[in-house]
C-alpha cells in the first residue's frame, strides 16, 4: 500500500471577522494559517471588490515574502472581543434611544430637567 506524502498547506486569510476562528480550526488540522491585514490585501485589488478579486488579492499578498502577518487570536481573546462588540452596540443603542426620547419630548414641548 502506497502512502501519500502530505505536504503542509499554507492557508491565508484576511484578518477580518471570522479569520481567527476559521484559522484556529484549520490550524488544528495540521495546516499553516497566515492572517493578512486587510489594508495589505486591498492594495492588490485590480478593480471593484467582489469575492473572486478578494481571493485573488489574498493569494497575491500571501506570496510576498516581505509581508507582515498577524498572529491568530486565542479563544479567550475572541470571547473578550465579542463581549466588547456587544457592549459597544448596547451603548450605541442606548445613546440612540435617549436621543430619540429627547427629540420626542422637545416636539411635544415637554422639557425634562437634566439632573
Amino acid at each position: 500500500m502506497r502512502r501519500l506524502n502530505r505536504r503542509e498547506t499554507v492557508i491565508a486569510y484576511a484578518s477580518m471577522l471570522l479569520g481567527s476562528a476559521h484559522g484556529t480550526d484549520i490550524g488544528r488540522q495540521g495546516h499553516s494559517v497566515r492572517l493578512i491585514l486587510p489594508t495589505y490585501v486591498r492594495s492588490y485589488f485590480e478593480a471593484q471588490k467582489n469575492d473572486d478579486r478578494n481571493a485573488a488579492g489574498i493569494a497575491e499578498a500571501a506570496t510576498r515574502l516581505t509581508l507582515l502577518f498577524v498572529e491568530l487570536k486565542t479563544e479567550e481573546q475572541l470571547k473578550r472581543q465579542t463581549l466588547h462588540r456587544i457592549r459597544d452596540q448596547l451603548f450605541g443603542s442606548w445613546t440612540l434611544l435617549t436621543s430619540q426620547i429627547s427629540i420626542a419630548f422637545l416636539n411635544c414641548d415637554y422639557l425634562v430637567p437634566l439632573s
Side-chain angles (χ1 to χ4, degrees):
M1 186 166 151
R2 190 173 138 218
R3 257 181 109 167
L4 294 176
N5 187 9
R6 272 184 78 179
R7 286 184 19 201
E8 181 183 273
T9 305
V10 176
I11 298 174
Y13 277 99
S15 63
M16 295 187 252
L17 297 177
L18 296 176
S20 279
H22 286 260
T24 303
D25 292 339
I26 291 172
R28 288 185 193 133
Q29 298 174 8
H31 302 292
S32 176
V33 179
R34 294 181 180 172
L35 292 180
I36 305 169
L37 288 173
T39 53
Y40 292 141
V41 174
R42 277 190 215 112
S43 63
Y44 292 101
F45 287 154
E46 295 175 7
Q48 296 296 321
K49 182 177 178 181
N50 63 30
D51 289 342
D52 292 337
R53 291 187 178 131
N54 194 14
I58 292 171
E60 177 68 27
T63 61
R64 303 294 180 187
L65 298 176
T66 58
L67 191 68
L68 297 175
F69 295 101
V70 181
E71 292 291 323
L72 286 175
K73 292 181 181 168
T74 64
E75 293 289 329
E76 183 63 31
Q77 289 172 327
L78 289 172
K79 289 176 186 176
R80 188 172 293 148
Q81 183 180 13
T82 302
L83 288 175
H84 283 295
R85 283 187 181 158
I86 291 170
R87 187 195 68 177
D88 288 344
Q89 288 175 356
L90 177 65
F91 284 124
S93 298
W94 176 258
T95 305
L96 177 68
L97 182 62
T98 55
S99 296
Q100 288 175 342
I101 290 171
S102 298
I103 291 170
F105 282 157
L106 285 174
N107 287 339
C108 297
D109 293 329
Y110 184 78
L111 297 177
V112 179
L114 294 176
S115 58

